[in-house]
Amino acid sequence: MNIDFFTVICPVFISFVISVILCPLLIPVLQKLKFGQTIRDEGPESHLKKNGTPTMGGIVILISILVTSLIYVGICPEIIPVLIMTIGFGLIGFLDDYIKVVKKRSLGLTVLQKLGLQFVVTAFFTYYYFQVADLATPTGIRIPFTEGFAFEMPTWLFVIFIFIVVLGTVNGTNFTDGLDGLASGVTIVVAGFFLVAALTIDAGMSPIVTAVMGALMGFLIFNTYPARVFMGDTGSLALGGFVSSVALMLQIPLFILIVGLIYLLEVVSVMLQVGYFKLTHGKRIFKMAPIHHHFELCGYFETQVVSAFTIVTALLCLLGIMAL
């Protein structure tokens, strides 16, 4: 494992400094523009006090990652598709957030509009993956706990697989962003796993991974409870694009099921809740979905849920490292 100071350590500090500088500058601007979060009435009552908290803080995360990555893209071109996905999904989230704050409603883009844009960005990534990315076995994926054994799929099946991985992960990270510091904290830990994986499999991917870590560390200072700013869909969708694309580029998408289990639980809890509600004409499995709200309504403090989910992710990432 080769840990190079310039490509591994420096991006963390560069991105962190940019994030820490930009947050205090952006928050007053968002407040002045009245770009505040509109809290859903059907959400936990304790969250109503967050109404009006500046959102779209994901802009800081995107700028920090973009500026840092541009410094390294010349020597590490492997990061380009990951950067495209991170920025691309971040822009979709920005559009969604902008509609929310301008119209002062919590819906934003329609489901079809958001899904359509996600398909476009994913299709562009898929084209780049097959036409530009220099991978010995582009349709191969590593199987956890098999010492790098690669399972190869037919190309047509792998394309479908890419869309499932990306859309599932992106929507999982989006649902995870529901408590102060939750998506930030969980994704910092997940990015730590990807750093170990990158240093083991493809060290050229490390600059953007550490850039994400630094950006989130800086943002978390202002996003931890009680949050002074929310990342909004601008940040959460960007993080989903990052997690899914870096996993695909390292050919370890199945590892998301291990290290990103929290993302999976969040999105599955919503699917189960909605499906069960419709089938039973009003009954619920959870007190509220996504599942982090269920634990809140069970009596746990918001900070306890965030800490527990982050600790579980850390343990799962250790398991993921063992599975490499």
Side-chain angles (χ1 to χ4, degrees):
M1 185 179 293
N2 181 27
I3 300 179
D4 180 74
F5 179 81
F6 180 67
T7 58
V8 178
I9 308 299
C10 280
V12 177
F13 287 98
I14 295 171
S15 190
F16 175 79
V17 170
I18 294 173
S19 184
V20 168
I21 291 174
L22 287 182
C23 273
L25 297 177
L26 181 65
I27 291 173
V29 174
L30 294 175
Q31 290 173 328
K32 187 175 181 179
L33 294 173
K34 297 183 179 180
F35 281 8
Q37 179 72 37
T38 301
I39 304 299
R40 295 177 304 153
D41 293 333
E42 62 270 23
E45 188 176 340
S46 61
H47 285 216
L48 294 178
K49 62 185 178 183
K50 300 181 182 184
N51 206 48
T53 300
T55 188
M56 298 176 73
I59 295 172
V60 169
I61 298 172
L62 288 180
I63 293 174
S64 302
I65 296 171
L66 178 60
V67 172
T68 306
S69 297
L70 289 177
I71 296 174
Y72 292 91
V73 72
I75 59 174
C76 298
E78 304 96 317
I79 70 176
I80 292 175
V82 179
L83 184 61
I84 289 172
M85 285 284 280
T86 305
I87 301 301
F89 275 94
L91 291 176
I92 295 173
F94 176 83
L95 180 60
D96 192 40
D97 284 335
Y98 184 78
I99 293 173
K100 289 177 185 177
V101 297
V102 169
K103 296 188 176 181
K104 300 299 179 184
R105 61 190 180 92
S106 60
L107 294 178
L109 292 169
T110 66
V111 173
L112 287 179
Q113 288 172 336
K114 188 181 291 187
L115 194 60
L117 291 172
Q118 290 178 356
F119 261 84
V120 170
V121 176
T122 306
F124 189 79
F125 168 80
T126 303
Y127 172 81
Y128 193 103
Y129 182 90
F130 281 104
Q131 299 297 323
V132 182
D134 185 18
L135 298 171
T137 54
T139 63
I141 55 175
R142 292 171 179 258
I143 309 299
F145 300 105
T146 58
E147 297 184 0
F149 174 79
F151 171 76
E152 291 191 50
M153 299 183 191
T155 301
W156 66 269
L157 182 59
F158 192 78
V159 170
I160 296 173
F161 179 70
I162 288 176
F163 277 83
I164 292 173
V165 170
V166 172
L167 298 180
T169 304
V170 166
N171 287 287
T173 56
N174 192 24
F175 283 125
T176 304
D177 182 35
L179 301 179
D180 295 358
L182 180 57
S184 302
V186 166
T187 307
I188 287 173
V189 179
V190 172
F193 161 78
F194 282 125
L195 175 58
V196 176
L199 294 174
T200 303
I201 301 169
D202 181 2
M205 201 66 66
S206 60
I208 193 167
V209 174
T210 50
V212 170
M213 294 176 70
L216 289 175
M217 289 176 187
F219 182 75
L220 191 56
I221 294 175
F222 304 89
N223 182 236
T224 192
Y225 183 87
R228 293 175 54 189
V229 63
F230 299 139
M231 67 171 64
D233 283 2
T234 306
S236 62
L237 294 186
L239 296 182
F242 160 75
V243 171
S244 57
S245 60
V246 75
L248 285 163
M249 292 302 296
L250 292 173
Q251 298 185 289
I252 54 173
L254 292 182
F255 284 72
I256 297 176
L257 298 174
I258 301 174
V259 302
L261 183 62
I262 293 299
Y263 304 141
L264 179 63
L265 290 178
E266 296 280 13
V267 71
V268 168
S269 68
V270 173
M271 294 169 63
L272 288 175
Q273 185 85 323
V274 173
Y276 190 74
F277 185 87
K278 290 181 178 179
L279 286 173
T280 60
H281 304 289
K283 293 183 179 180
R284 293 175 171 84
I285 299 175
F286 308 103
K287 292 185 177 182
M288 185 175 291
I291 198 168
H292 54 254
H293 289 322
H294 171 79
F295 286 108
E296 279 191 287
L297 295 180
C298 285
Y300 293 94
F301 291 114
E302 183 171 346
T303 50
Q304 290 177 304
V305 178
V306 172
S307 297
F309 279 29
T310 305
I311 291 169
V312 167
T313 300
L315 293 173
L316 291 170
C317 285
L318 290 175
L319 183 64
I321 292 172
M322 292 174 59
L324 284 171

